[in-house]
Amino acid sequence: MARLNLLLILAVLASGVVLVHSAYESRRLFAELDKARAEGQRLAADAERLAAERHAQATNLRVEQVARERLGMRVITPAVVASGGTP
């Protein structure tokens, strides 16, 4: 009878340890999931911000400004086209 009691006590202790370990693992995984969700939301916000910045940089006025300032381009006139030279 004493052996059976000892065996049952060991089984209860082992199941308790397994239960504590699974609860700990569950909390750890939930914390990781929460971090991953927050990171996903941050990345989505960054993607929206970058798309808005790209859209702002691609407006016609911005492209024309960059072409004039950085590339030294200018609007073509009929006189330049007719003579074939630079004004």
Side-chain angles (χ1 to χ4, degrees), residues 43-61:
L43 290 173
D46 283 350
E48 287 180 25
R49 181 183 55 81
L50 289 172
E53 286 179 14
R54 184 183 64 202
H55 179 69
Q57 293 292 323
T59 61
N60 290 338
L61 294 176

Side-chain angles (χ1 to χ4, degrees), residues 13-28:
L13 288 175
S15 68
V17 168
V18 168
L19 178 66
V20 168
H21 178 71
S22 67
Y24 169 78
E25 214 35 50
S26 174
R27 282 192 295 268
R28 187 184 66 78

Side-chain angles (χ1 to χ4, degrees), residues 6-18:
L6 181 63
L7 185 63
L8 290 175
I9 288 173
L10 289 177
V12 167
L13 288 175
S15 68
V17 168
V18 168

Side-chain angles (χ1 to χ4, degrees), residues 1-86:
M1 190 69 165
R3 273 190 140 150
L4 181 61
N5 285 341
L6 181 63
L7 185 63
L8 290 175
I9 288 173
L10 289 177
V12 167
L13 288 175
S15 68
V17 168
V18 168
L19 178 66
V20 168
H21 178 71
S22 67
Y24 169 78
E25 214 35 50
S26 174
R27 282 192 295 268
R28 187 184 66 78
L29 290 174
F30 184 77
E32 279 186 37
L33 178 64
D34 196 37
K35 281 182 191 177
R37 283 183 182 155
E39 180 72 10
Q41 289 175 349
R42 186 186 66 78
L43 290 173
D46 283 350
E48 287 180 25
R49 181 183 55 81
L50 289 172
E53 286 179 14
R54 184 183 64 202
H55 179 69
Q57 293 292 323
T59 61
N60 290 338
L61 294 176
R62 174 75 177 146
V63 170
E64 185 176 341
Q65 178 187 13
V66 169
R68 287 177 193 251
E69 291 175 1
R70 292 188 188 165
L71 303 175
M73 298 175 91
R74 58 183 170 228
V75 178
I76 193 163
T77 62
V80 173
V81 175
S83 67
T86 57

